[in-house]
Amino acid sequence: MNTYNINDESFKNSDEYQNFLKENPGIGYLRIRASAAGGAIPISGLQVSISKNIDNDKVVFFEGATDISGLIEGIALPAPTINTDNMMSPTSTVYNITATYEPDKAVQLYSVKIYENLYVVQNISIVPDIQRGGLNWQ
């Protein structure tokens, strides 16, 4: 499996990616919210990578870190067009989220469904490892 960044021009022009865009012509949005203590303490600097497997290749759509409020806002991702028939469940595409908390080297993995014209919020709860006098407190 090869890994590509979405900004790689050679991959953007590939048949695999063009077929993916034909199946996902819409745009959906993702918001990351990282916190500790039941949401009371925002976690800044959480490294986040959003990817998707397309034809046995890992494609990275976003890499970044949470801000001082523990947020990453408005990550735009390709999504399938929503069917206006209310009797049909809406179609989505699944993306993988890898969240890395550097101070503890903790990695959390998530899968999230993205829908056209909708904001999806992924909450990430972090339990920091606090050291006091050589003892670990959690």
Side-chain angles (χ1 to χ4, degrees):
M1 177 185 298
N2 295 321
T3 300
Y4 297 99
N5 187 293
I6 193 61
N7 296 321
D8 182 349
E9 287 299 323
S10 62
F11 182 75
K12 279 179 133 174
N13 296 324
S14 70
D15 289 338
E16 294 84 13
Y17 185 64
Q18 294 304 313
N19 289 335
F20 171 74
L21 287 180
K22 285 179 187 172
E23 295 172 5
N24 298 280
I27 296 291
Y29 301 93
L30 178 63
R31 177 185 191 203
I32 303 291
R33 180 177 179 267
S35 62
I41 302 171
I43 300 293
S44 65
L46 179 76
Q47 298 296 315
V48 175
S49 174
I50 300 168
S51 64
K52 179 164 184 62
N53 291 336
I54 301 174
D55 291 338
N56 292 326
D57 290 323
K58 179 180 177 181
V59 181
V60 177
F61 283 84
F62 175 85
E63 290 181 312
T66 55
D67 64 14
I68 195 164
S69 299
L71 300 174
I72 301 174
E73 296 277 0
I75 303 168
L77 298 167
T81 304
I82 292 220
N83 187 343
T84 57
D85 182 357
N86 289 340
M87 300 305 286
M88 302 286 293
S89 63
T91 54
S92 64
T93 190
V94 177
Y95 289 88
N96 302 311
I97 301 171
T98 303
T100 307
Y101 186 60
E102 286 298 327
D104 297 343
K105 305 291 187 229
V107 176
Q108 295 182 19
L109 305 174
Y110 300 89
S111 292
V112 64
K113 290 182 179 182
I114 299 296
Y115 301 89
E116 181 185 36
N117 295 328
L118 293 178
Y119 242 91
V120 175
V121 177
Q122 177 63 58
N123 290 313
I124 299 174
S125 181
I126 302 294
V127 179
D129 183 19
I130 302 171
Q131 292 189 357
R132 292 190 182 137
L135 300 174
N136 287 335
W137 299 82
Q138 290 189 356

